[in-house]
Amino acid sequence: MQQNNGLDKNQLISFALFSMILIGAMFYFQNKQAKEQQLKDAQNKTAVSQKVAANNAKPAIVTNLNDSVKTASIQQIELKNKELTLGISTLGGQISKVQLNEYKAYNKKTDVNDKPLLVFDKNNSSYGFQFKDKTGKIFNTKDLVFSPVQNGNSVTMQTSVNGAVIQFIYTLLNKYTVDFNVKTQGLSQLVADQKAEFVWDYNVRGMEKGRSQEQTHSEFNYAFDDYNSFDYDGRTTMEEPKEKLNWLAVKQQFFTAVIEPQKGFKNSKGSQDMIEEGEFLKKFNFNGQVDLANNELNEDFKWYFMPLDLPMLKSYDKNFDELLPLGWSFIGSLNRWFFIPMYNLITSWGLAAGWVIFLMTIIVKIILSPVMFKQHKLSAMMKVIRPEIDAVNEKYKGADAMKKQQETMAVYRKAGVNQMAGCLPGLIQVPIFYALFRFFPNMIDLRGKSFWFAKDLTAYDDVIKLPFNVPFLGEHLSIFAIACTVVILIYTVMTAGNMQQPTQEGMPNMKVLMYIFPITFLFFLNTSASGLSWYYFVSNAINILIILVIKYWILDEKKIHAQIQQNKTKGPKPEGKFQKRMREMMEKAQEQQKVQNAGKKK
């Protein structure tokens, strides 16, 4: 607990000046593409597509499954609405390009989000249906060449394999949804199994600033149990042999690609591997089984290419909102029902995102102020009875540790001090800390929002460039992270004085550990969202002001001393259940130790 070594009003003035200098330094550091051409008239485009198909696109007919696919002209058919631009390739009849028109990707050269945001492009995604023929050989639709027929925002891809016809029909619907219908005819003459394997290989492209943070958020997500259950896997493999998946997503920090089979995927499995450098972050592979009806594949699928925007995700009513990693259980509820509504309300006032976070911090501190007051009152009481605690430690120095602890607890009880009350503020702030740790890097409304020198509050600021790479820090220093570390260190110095030193040999010095914590926090925050660092800077600066206000204007140590003396005359306060249980456990342990010592003497 705090042992205040003369924190006077001059220090208060010093802190105020320091804060002004720090904020002034922050101010000092601060500082399209044209829209694509609209779609041509549907009838003209259909005519052009059919003409090209007739002249150039010859469907690949495999007369023998041992033969290679015949070469043909590969073309890409474009479908477009306000939100999406799709390119569908005749090779494999698959979606080969997906651009989210209303968003931009991070450009390392300009240090802002100004590149086209391409989910699929340059063959980073490849998918198809894999079949086993009656001779036991495997063929996959992604290796076949299809011929296209386009009608407005719908295109039919068709190919033939030994007389069997396979059709993929894509229809771009409103917003982020693509109908994907699969039809076959004559497939029953080729295949022996009653199943097909949907195989998807996908290398996710980096879209954000901060590679490690985005890699952490890139993972498999899936729903099952009729959309009622949800799970995710950020490890190397995923295995779901028993569940029927309603949809499978590869999620990144702010965007996702989802495939939804009407009848679900069975015997699903997948793998994911980190890509250490370059354009791509992770390599994903998924394999899910779909059933054939009479050895024919006639099933409806849907593709979704979406931003992780909570209201939009909830509008689908398919458990897509779980894709936004707001935290499990109480943590997620805290974000959904408290922090997000608070953020939306303050944002509606027209404030910059950084000042929205500033006001959020103040609101949280006001809510927690009664708890913080109790904590600091306890600190003052602990300071008053410190001489008595030191006397107990001296009296029982070298004696039985259990006896010393019992006598210490007796001093607390007589003074009416409940040590456990000091743990409450810390326990309350743990879920808040973790909720905000989830909130700031995943709130798409903050993506690309600048504040002072931070160009994106969901990524780190790197105004201070380093000429070399420092392990765990990288090649930059974040000003927000440094500022946050400084105020945490000041707060620690002001509060660590009250902490009792270890009385047992070999026990760690908690005061030293408390001083180390702010330094380790720098390594954590340096590559985290600058919005998170800004929140913790403001939060800890307010903590310091609260301590000073309580010390100089609210709490009177003389009155506290008089109250403690009065408590002693009344006798010890009744034990709480927890205190009683602790005392009984200590007494029982002490008895057992006496028995063991007596046995050793015999």
Side-chain angles (χ1 to χ4, degrees):
M1 308 301 294
Q2 180 179 349
Q3 196 158 7
N4 205 302
N5 297 317
L7 191 64
D8 56 20
K9 295 186 179 180
N10 289 332
Q11 289 174 305
L12 176 59
I13 294 169
S14 299
F15 170 73
L17 288 173
F18 165 78
S19 299
M20 292 172 63
I21 292 169
L22 195 56
I23 291 172
M26 290 180 178
F27 274 113
Y28 175 76
F29 280 104
Q30 83 173 292
N31 162 280
K32 275 185 178 177
Q33 268 193 349
K35 292 183 179 179
E36 293 186 4
Q37 186 180 352
Q38 295 184 348
L39 289 174
K40 295 180 180 179
D41 179 79
Q43 293 179 349
N44 291 337
K45 189 164 187 178
T46 300
V48 171
S49 299
Q50 290 173 337
K51 183 177 179 180
V52 171
N55 294 334
N56 300 324
K58 298 179 181 179
I61 308 298
V62 181
T63 56
N64 189 306
L65 291 176
N66 293 321
D67 295 341
S68 301
V69 176
K70 293 185 178 180
T71 57
S73 299
I74 306 304
Q75 61 181 124
Q76 186 169 267
I77 308 303
E78 183 178 280
L79 306 179
K80 184 176 181 181
N81 64 13
K82 180 184 175 184
E83 289 80 13
L84 293 178
T85 297
L86 303 182
I88 302 173
S89 175
T90 55
L91 178 60
Q94 58 190 312
I95 299 174
S96 55
K97 174 185 175 183
V98 177
Q99 179 175 337
L100 274 71
N101 301 327
E102 298 177 318
Y103 295 90
K104 296 293 183 181
Y106 176 70
N107 187 342
K108 191 173 183 179
K109 293 180 180 178
T110 60
D111 198 29
V112 292
N113 297 339
D114 61 8
K115 290 171 61 178
L117 198 149
L118 297 164
V119 180
F120 290 0
D121 191 44
K122 297 180 182 177
N123 301 317
N124 70 317
S125 172
S126 177
Y127 64 87
F129 296 93
Q130 188 168 278
F131 304 93
K132 182 185 290 186
D133 71 9
K134 292 181 179 180
T135 67
K137 294 183 179 179
I138 303 295
F139 68 96
N140 195 312
T141 60
K142 68 180 182 180
D143 300 321
L144 305 177
V145 178
F146 289 67
S147 59
V149 176
Q150 185 173 5
N151 182 15
N153 255 5
S154 180
V155 61
T156 298
M157 292 283 182
Q158 181 170 309
T159 191
S160 299
V161 180
N162 276 0
V165 177
I166 301 174
Q167 280 189 345
F168 292 167
I169 305 168
Y170 293 94
T171 304
L172 179 57
L173 305 179
N174 291 331
K175 294 190 175 180
Y176 303 102
T177 306
V178 185
D179 264 345
F180 173 37
N181 301 325
V182 181
K183 297 180 180 180
T184 67
Q185 186 174 0
L187 191 66
S188 57
Q189 303 301 314
L190 299 181
V191 300
D193 287 347
Q194 289 290 325
K195 64 180 182 180
E197 302 287 341
F198 176 78
V199 180
W200 182 19
D201 298 306
Y202 179 31
N203 293 348
V204 297
R205 175 180 285 105
M207 301 178 187
E208 314 300 330
K209 182 178 182 178
R211 184 182 186 87
S212 61
Q213 180 172 254
E214 191 177 7
Q215 274 183 325
T216 301
H217 286 88
S218 298
E219 59 193 10
F220 281 121
N221 288 245
Y222 47 93
F224 52 95
D225 190 24
D226 291 329
Y227 301 93
N228 292 316
S229 299
F230 169 84
D231 207 349
Y232 67 96
D233 202 314
R235 299 167 297 180
T236 54
T237 60
M238 63 91 72
E239 300 278 346
E240 289 293 348
K242 297 180 180 179
E243 302 291 351
K244 182 186 289 187
L245 303 193
N246 302 119
W247 51 257
L248 180 282
V250 174
K251 179 194 74 68
Q252 294 181 243
Q253 188 173 352
F254 292 110
F255 304 95
T256 186
V258 184
I259 179 71
E260 178 193 20
Q262 184 183 31
K263 298 176 184 176
F265 288 127
K266 296 179 179 178
N267 298 321
S268 299
K269 58 185 178 181
S271 63
Q272 50 191 303
D273 298 291
M274 290 284 193
I275 300 174
E276 295 303 323
E277 58 183 16
E279 182 180 2
F280 301 105
L281 304 173
K282 261 187 177 182
K283 180 187 295 183
F284 288 87
N285 169 266
F286 174 75
N287 187 304
Q289 177 185 316
V290 291
D291 292 333
L292 302 184
N294 299 318
N295 278 15
E296 298 288 349
L297 179 57
N298 292 293
E299 186 163 350
D300 295 336
F301 297 79
K302 278 186 171 63
W303 279 104
Y304 303 88
F305 304 100
M306 304 180 289
L308 297 181
D309 176 74
L310 186 60
M312 187 272 296
L313 294 172
K314 291 176 72 173
S315 70
Y316 286 96
D317 197 26
K318 294 186 177 182
N319 220 6
F320 286 154
D321 53 305
E322 292 286 359
L323 287 164
L324 193 60
L326 297 175
W328 288 100
S329 188
F330 177 71
I331 303 297
S333 298
L334 193 60
N335 272 322
R336 289 170 186 267
W337 305 112
F338 182 65
F339 284 116
I340 291 179
M342 185 198 304
Y343 174 86
N344 290 336
L345 174 64
I346 301 174
T347 300
S348 68
W349 301 343
L351 297 175
W355 294 116
V356 172
I357 295 171
F358 180 84
L359 290 180
M360 286 176 66
T361 314
I362 292 176
I363 291 170
V364 171
K365 287 300 174 185
I366 290 172
I367 293 171
L368 293 177
S369 58
V371 178
M372 291 195 67
F373 175 76
K374 288 183 179 180
Q375 181 187 28
H376 292 296
K377 183 177 180 180
L378 177 65
S379 297
M381 295 174 76
M382 294 286 284
K383 179 186 173 185
V384 170
I385 64 170
R386 173 56 59 80
E388 296 179 50
I389 299 296
D390 291 340
V392 169
N393 290 334
E394 185 63 32
K395 181 178 179 180
Y396 293 95
K397 190 174 183 180
D400 181 76
M402 199 72 70
K403 178 66 175 174
K404 183 191 296 183
Q405 187 64 27
Q406 286 178 328
E407 292 299 324
T408 301
M409 291 178 68
V411 173
Y412 287 135
R413 285 200 305 273
K414 287 179 183 177
V417 175
N418 182 2
Q419 277 185 294
M420 299 308 299
C423 301
L424 182 61
L427 291 175
I428 288 176
Q429 291 185 65
V430 167
I432 293 174
F433 175 92
Y434 191 68
L436 292 168
F437 172 73
R438 287 288 193 172
F439 175 88
F440 287 109
N442 295 295
M443 191 68 175
I444 197 167
D445 289 350
L446 284 171
R447 182 180 185 267
K449 297 290 178 63
S450 62
F451 183 63
W452 290 343
F453 42 82
K455 295 181 179 179
D456 186 344
L457 286 168
T458 63
Y460 57 83
D461 69 89
D462 56 354
V463 176
I464 303 175
K465 307 282 188 182
L466 298 178
F468 45 81
N469 189 295
V470 179
F472 306 109
L473 274 179
E475 299 178 345
H476 72 279
L477 285 175
S478 165
I479 297 176
F480 272 129
I482 293 171
C484 183
T485 302
V486 169
V487 293
I488 292 176
L489 191 58
I490 294 172
Y491 178 76
T492 302
V493 169
M494 294 174 67
T495 56
N498 286 328
M499 181 162 288
Q500 189 174 340
Q501 295 304 302
T503 56
Q504 282 290 99
E505 208 174 304
M507 288 181 66
N509 189 329
M510 295 304 294
K511 189 183 287 189
V512 173
L513 292 178
M514 285 186 70
Y515 290 140
I516 293 173
F517 172 73
I519 307 302
T520 59
F521 218 57
L522 173 63
F523 289 85
F524 166 71
L525 289 174
N526 197 57
T527 54
S528 297
S530 53
L532 187 67
S533 299
W534 169 237
Y535 174 89
Y536 289 134
F537 167 79
V538 176
S539 178
N540 283 281
I542 292 173
N543 284 343
I544 293 170
L545 291 174
I546 288 173
I547 290 175
L548 295 173
V549 169
I550 289 175
K551 173 180 171 58
Y552 289 111
W553 285 284
I554 297 178
L555 289 181
D556 187 331
E557 289 187 5
K558 291 182 180 178
K559 287 183 180 180
I560 290 173
H561 185 271
Q563 181 186 343
I564 289 175
Q565 299 308 316
Q566 188 178 1
N567 289 342
K568 289 180 180 179
T569 61
K570 294 178 182 178
K573 292 179 69 176
E575 288 180 308
K577 290 183 180 180
F578 181 80
Q579 289 175 309
K580 183 180 179 181
R581 193 176 297 116
M582 287 290 293
R583 179 179 57 77
E584 290 173 348
M585 287 172 61
M586 291 173 67
E587 289 174 352
K588 187 176 180 180
Q590 192 173 22
E591 289 298 324
Q592 289 175 346
Q593 191 173 11
K594 286 180 180 178
V595 172
Q596 289 175 356
N597 291 338
K600 288 179 182 178
K601 289 178 181 178
K602 291 180 180 179

